[in-house]
Amino acid sequence: MINKRILIKNLLAHNDECSFYDKKRQLNLHTREGKAKFLKHICGLSNSNPTNNSYIVVGVEDQENTIIGDDFFDDSRIQNLVNAFLENPPLIQYENIPFPNLPKDKVVGLVTIKANEKISSFKKSIHTIPANSIYIRIGSNTVPVDGKIEKNYQNSTTVIDIENISRNSIQYTLDNVMDFLNFRHKNMNPKYKVFKELFVICWAGIEKKSGEKRYLSRVDIELINEQIKVFYSAQDVVEIIFDDNHFTIIEYVPLGLNDKTTYYPLEEQTIHFQDNGYYKIDRKILFKPPEFDKKLLFHIYNTNLNLLHKLDRKSELTVREQKDLENLPSTFMLCYLNGFEDAKQKLIAAKLLLKPFPTIYTSFKEALRILRKMKYDVQ
């Protein structure tokens, strides 16, 4: 069982970017340009590593090789993006890896590209990349190629050696369980459970009650053995259910207007632990968007646009407008879910205007995370 934190350290220590791994400061899948760059690297790494895994490490400063972290990114539908644009797509896994020196809301992203002996190519165009394009890695560069690709097996031994020295140990597991329980989350009622005498799940959160139902908020859930942050949310609430073989997380999203909030089930994520030392994660979207009065939403939509206009002009906001600004990410999201197609792009475009307000910016990132889960846009 590979400890992903150690694997990232070993990848960064091995060499600069090379033909089996790449590093990025952040992942940008909000724009067609960002998606195109990501897909290009996936294509190049897959074609250059037909018999071994290849990797992209997200949250690393390129020049100094410094770990700076990035936002938690839990979109399992990233595979849909790869499948939509690549012929013979490799299997992709995105994992969030916590590091002790990072703030609790920051992780390092690890993209694992599974070995794929077939040649990957673009089956349709995106941004400046035409259909039928093929890419490979030459050193730290991802470059287009014409014609036949010679299979490259030179990385297999090196990558296997790096993975082998990154395997977990009892000491790593115990140290990180103790750290989770006694230091990082000691005031948030932390718990742990061992599955199949091998896997250790730790979780912590603040209990809250809504009606007759109890939830956990500010939740952090980690699969300690592999140093993977399974779930993290600064705002949403979850319900946790488990037995000897399964650990289920049901995520709820608080939505409402005029200070009336209701918790709507968003996604159910179940980890199945097996006797043979493997596990798999199943995800199921539960969300059904609430419907609101269109006239009221039209008023809110225009109010949001006016707020952004005032922020852009650096105009002073009234007390009422400051309150509306706090709700802007969630109300833009509600507008989008109720047929205001431009609301999502308006929200994305507001990023720089909202960034100076930490609490509102956190709500902005949460809204985009939720929208990715509801409907991953590959267009």
Side-chain angles (χ1 to χ4, degrees):
M1 189 177 297
I2 294 177
N3 185 307
K4 302 301 172 60
R5 185 192 295 171
I6 302 173
L7 175 61
I8 289 171
K9 289 182 176 180
N10 286 331
L11 285 171
L12 296 178
H14 170 74
N15 205 336
D16 203 350
E17 294 169 305
C18 61
S19 55
F20 62 81
Y21 95 94
D22 193 11
K23 56 188 176 185
K24 300 294 176 191
R25 183 183 179 90
Q26 61 184 7
L27 199 62
N28 175 19
L29 299 182
H30 300 314
T31 65
R32 289 179 66 81
E33 180 182 5
K35 291 173 185 174
K37 287 181 178 179
F38 176 73
L39 290 165
K40 180 179 72 173
H41 293 310
I42 294 293
C43 182
L45 287 165
S46 178
N47 288 334
S48 299
N49 296 276
T51 57
N52 57 268
N53 293 335
S54 49
Y55 298 95
I56 300 175
V57 181
V58 182
V60 177
E61 185 67 62
D62 192 27
Q63 297 298 322
E64 302 295 329
N65 216 31
T66 304
I67 294 174
I68 58 174
D70 196 10
D71 294 330
F72 183 90
F73 189 93
D74 64 346
D75 203 326
S76 60
R77 293 149 202 86
I78 198 171
Q79 185 72 52
N80 295 351
L81 176 64
V82 175
N83 293 346
F85 284 94
L86 295 187
E87 191 72 40
N88 299 320
L91 290 176
I92 304 297
Q93 186 175 24
Y94 190 99
E95 296 167 312
N96 298 278
I97 316 302
F99 273 72
N101 60 312
L102 295 177
K104 65 180 181 180
D105 61 337
K106 295 291 184 182
V107 292
V108 174
L110 179 66
V111 182
T112 302
I113 302 138
K114 303 291 186 180
N116 179 23
E117 292 212 359
K118 295 182 178 180
I119 300 300
S120 294
S121 61
F122 280 79
K123 60 185 177 184
K124 58 182 180 179
S125 62
I126 179 173
H127 192 51
T128 59
I129 300 176
N132 302 315
S133 296
I134 300 174
Y135 288 85
I136 61 169
R137 292 280 291 191
I138 299 179
S140 61
N141 297 315
T142 302
V143 298
V145 293
D146 294 320
K148 187 177 179 181
I149 296 178
E150 294 294 331
K151 292 206 172 177
N152 174 10
Y153 301 100
Q154 66 181 8
N155 293 327
S156 296
T157 301
T158 302
V159 172
I160 290 172
D161 287 344
I162 290 175
E163 292 173 343
N164 283 337
I165 63 173
S166 303
R167 298 200 173 274
N168 205 9
S169 68
I170 293 176
Q171 179 175 340
Y172 280 125
T173 300
L174 290 176
D175 285 349
N176 284 290
V177 169
M178 298 300 291
D179 179 62
F180 189 100
L181 298 179
N182 296 329
F183 296 100
R184 285 192 285 140
H185 301 293
K186 64 180 180 180
N187 297 320
M188 295 177 63
N189 194 24
K191 294 181 173 62
Y192 77 94
K193 181 171 174 60
V194 179
F195 294 88
K196 301 297 183 181
E197 301 180 332
L198 181 62
F199 302 98
V200 184
I201 289 274
C202 287
W203 70 96
I206 297 174
E207 189 173 288
K208 62 187 305 181
K209 189 175 181 181
S210 178
E212 296 300 317
K213 201 152 191 174
R214 294 184 181 275
Y215 304 96
L216 291 177
S217 65
R218 293 175 57 193
V219 179
D220 193 1
I221 304 172
E222 293 184 14
L223 177 58
I224 297 295
N225 307 69
E226 297 194 0
Q227 284 294 279
I228 296 171
K229 193 181 286 285
V230 178
F231 183 91
Y232 175 81
S233 175
Q235 295 185 339
D236 293 353
V237 297
V238 306
E239 182 181 6
I240 291 174
I241 304 168
F242 58 86
D243 56 28
D244 290 340
N245 303 310
H246 311 91
F247 187 89
T248 298
I249 308 158
I250 303 175
E251 181 181 2
Y252 294 80
V253 54
L255 294 173
L257 298 174
N258 299 325
D259 299 324
K260 294 180 180 179
T261 299
T262 302
Y263 290 103
Y264 295 88
L266 173 60
E267 183 181 47
E268 180 180 285
Q269 181 178 173
T270 300
I271 308 175
H272 304 266
F273 296 101
Q274 302 172 9
D275 291 324
N276 60 2
Y278 290 90
Y279 67 90
K280 67 175 183 176
I281 301 178
D282 289 333
R283 294 176 172 89
K284 180 170 63 175
I285 289 292
L286 308 174
F287 187 72
K288 294 181 179 179
E291 295 183 4
F292 292 91
D293 180 75
K294 287 292 173 56
K295 289 184 178 179
L296 175 60
L297 289 176
F298 187 75
H299 170 72
I300 290 172
Y301 182 71
N302 285 327
T303 298
N304 285 348
L305 294 180
N306 289 332
L307 281 172
L308 295 178
H309 185 57
K310 291 190 74 171
L311 287 180
D312 191 37
R313 292 185 302 168
K314 296 182 171 52
S315 301
E316 187 174 350
L317 301 183
T318 66
V319 174
R320 178 68 246 181
E321 287 172 334
Q322 290 174 359
K323 180 65 175 177
D324 289 339
L325 183 63
E326 292 174 6
N327 297 324
L328 183 143
S330 63
T331 52
F332 255 148
M333 179 170 64
L334 282 176
C335 288
Y336 174 74
L337 295 172
N338 280 265
F340 291 72
E341 294 296 329
D342 291 341
K344 180 179 177 182
Q345 287 306 317
K346 294 292 185 184
L347 178 59
I348 292 172
K351 177 179 179 179
L352 294 180
L353 294 175
L354 300 178
K355 203 165 188 178
F357 308 93
T359 302
I360 300 171
Y361 188 61
T362 298
S363 299
F364 162 82
K365 292 189 292 186
E366 287 291 297
L368 291 185
R369 184 181 70 85
I370 292 165
L371 287 173
R372 283 198 303 267
K373 282 193 171 188
M374 293 174 187
K375 183 179 180 181
Y376 196 86
D377 179 12
V378 299
Q379 300 303 319

